[in-house]
Amino acid sequence: MYLKKYIFSISFTFLILLVNVSFSQNQKESDSLIQLYKSGDYKETELEILNLIANEESKPDRKLEYADLLIEKASHLLNEKVSIDSVYNYLYNGHLQKGNALRLRGDYEKALEAYFNSLSLANLKDSINDAGAVSISIADAYSEMGNSNNAEKYYTNGINLLRNTNDSLKLATALSNAGDEYFYQNKFDLALQYFEESGSIFRRSSNLIGTAYSMGNVGMVYAEQGKDKEAEQNITEAIQILEELKDYYPISVYLTFMSDIYLKKNDWPAAVQYAKRSLDLAQEYGLKDQISDANLKLSELYEQRGNYKISNQFYKDHIKYRDSVLNIKNIEAMADLRTNYEVGQKQAEVDLLETKTQLQTLQAKRQRNFLYATGTGLFLT
């Protein structure tokens, strides 16, 4: 079992830290922003408020709702007398956060589609920073569905891009998520190296949520290496921080590791308690992959005690949610999506350049004649 940065998207993404990647959600901030948006009493523009909500929201369904609303509102402005670059920034992040929400719900096919839309917009804007960030999110999606080859490819590309920028926080997020992939491959020394580098950057930046993720991830490595005391200390501190921030996805993951730690101590009741707490959180927030993992952990625990009836029920629930997340059709569709995307890159580059020139001409006409043209075809790429 492993944790994927939420994207960040650590969503980090939003401090973004991640605004772009996947960890950075802050539910308290999101709740306040939603109240402000519904009241209509705010100084920011509507797109600014929606953008912030999409970034900070940690509940997948609500995150998807506001990401779609951001995309819808921003798309309407393509025909208005506004800055094209500004609209593209909102569309880029809208598709990015939509991908993050769908990924959290276990809908990887649609998540990758949203991410590739975001990547096309990043390329259209000639933004190395944004292209690097969304590449990490694409890598995250492939990592979570078990495609290590594609995951490593996009992690490498994303990290290389981000090392050429001044955005240390996004780099830290990328390193953390790449470390997670190596953790999944049982390359614990390499994973620890990535986690420690990312944690160092987060601490220097006084980034609380990034620091929490790094501590939790280091704790997971220690747990796998049999360093239970160090593992428990790091994970416990990480959970305390994340509970204050109401970021429940990583907590659900870390709790299963705590279950393993207490099982090694032969404290079966505590191990079950941690696993059930993980399942409760996952069910409350609709985190399908974690529902699957927590059910599997409980199945294993009850099997060890010889309670095969309860173990079998948890195992059935594990299979149900596992298959809903990683079914063969979705895997095949994702493979096709990646192939189609990469095969079309050469033509896409030509189309992007042509489209960009057309947009500049259209903007000039708007300024000169105050005539509005339709935005149809702006996103053919």
Side-chain angles (χ1 to χ4, degrees), residues 288 292 315 317-327:
K288 291 183 180 179
S292 173
Y315 189 75
D317 289 340
H318 156 65
I319 294 297
K320 179 176 64 176
Y321 282 96
R322 183 200 65 182
D323 290 347
S324 71
V325 173
L326 293 178
N327 59 72

Side-chain angles (χ1 to χ4, degrees), residues 31-276:
D31 291 342
S32 297
L33 288 167
I34 290 175
Q35 289 181 357
L36 185 64
Y37 176 70
K38 290 182 177 180
S39 73
D41 184 18
Y42 47 83
K43 297 179 181 179
E44 300 84 352
T45 67
E46 182 178 20
L47 288 182
E48 288 172 337
I49 292 291
L50 291 173
N51 193 58
L52 288 171
I53 294 173
N55 285 342
E56 301 295 346
E57 179 60 50
S58 63
K59 297 178 181 178
D61 290 342
R62 285 211 305 189
K63 190 177 189 68
L64 180 60
E65 174 187 352
Y66 283 96
D68 278 335
L69 188 57
L70 174 61
I71 293 170
E72 176 187 351
K73 298 290 185 179
S75 297
H76 289 165
L77 292 181
L78 288 173
N79 293 326
E80 301 295 332
K81 188 173 59 176
V82 297
S83 169
I84 289 294
D85 289 339
S86 176
V87 174
Y88 273 18
N89 285 333
Y90 289 123
L91 286 172
Y92 159 80
N93 196 49
H95 284 288
L96 175 62
Q97 301 311 325
K98 179 176 183 177
N100 288 338
L102 290 165
R103 200 175 96 225
L104 281 175
R105 295 204 315 183
D107 194 341
Y108 293 110
E109 179 183 357
K110 291 182 180 179
L112 281 172
E113 182 179 355
Y115 284 147
F116 283 131
N117 285 336
S118 184
L119 182 57
S120 293
L121 286 158
N123 290 333
L124 189 60
K125 297 191 303 171
D126 292 328
S127 174
I128 295 177
N129 191 308
D130 289 343
V134 73
S135 292
I136 298 302
S137 293
I138 291 171
D140 289 343
Y142 280 125
S143 177
E144 290 173 11
M145 53 80 70
N147 192 327
S148 296
N149 289 334
N150 287 349
E152 287 191 33
K153 175 180 178 179
Y154 279 97
Y155 279 131
T156 298
N157 291 344
I159 289 173
N160 287 340
L161 287 170
L162 293 173
R163 287 194 186 280
N164 292 317
T165 72
N166 295 321
D167 197 329
S168 61
L169 291 179
K170 285 181 185 172
L171 174 60
T173 296
L175 291 167
S176 182
N177 290 12
D180 195 48
E181 172 61 26
Y182 289 117
F183 174 84
Y184 173 66
Q185 295 180 38
N186 296 326
K187 299 177 181 178
F188 300 125
D189 290 340
L190 191 57
L192 190 60
Q193 176 183 330
Y194 275 81
F195 290 150
E196 289 180 339
E197 182 181 357
S198 68
S200 178
I201 296 174
F202 286 131
R203 286 190 293 273
R204 289 199 303 268
S205 303
S206 298
N207 185 286
L208 189 60
I209 194 165
T211 300
Y213 270 75
S214 295
M215 292 174 61
N217 290 342
V218 168
M220 292 196 304
V221 174
Y222 284 145
E224 292 294 335
Q225 293 178 330
K227 301 176 181 179
D228 294 340
K229 182 178 180 180
E230 295 88 343
E232 184 175 357
Q233 179 180 348
N234 278 270
I235 292 175
T236 298
E237 291 184 26
I239 289 176
Q240 290 173 348
I241 295 173
L242 293 167
E243 284 180 332
E244 286 294 319
L245 298 173
K246 296 186 178 181
D247 192 358
Y248 298 113
Y249 177 74
I251 293 176
S252 181
V253 176
Y254 294 145
L255 286 171
T256 59
F257 278 86
M258 291 294 288
S259 177
D260 288 335
I261 291 172
Y262 276 87
L263 184 60
K264 290 179 183 178
K265 295 179 179 181
N266 294 319
D267 189 343
W268 188 85
V272 170
Q273 181 180 9
Y274 278 109
K276 286 185 175 179

Side-chain angles (χ1 to χ4, degrees), residues 123-124 344-355 381:
N123 290 333
L124 189 60
Q345 282 304 287
K346 290 295 182 180
Q347 184 60 45
E349 292 173 3
V350 174
D351 292 341
L352 288 172
L353 179 60
E354 179 181 351
T355 301
T381 59

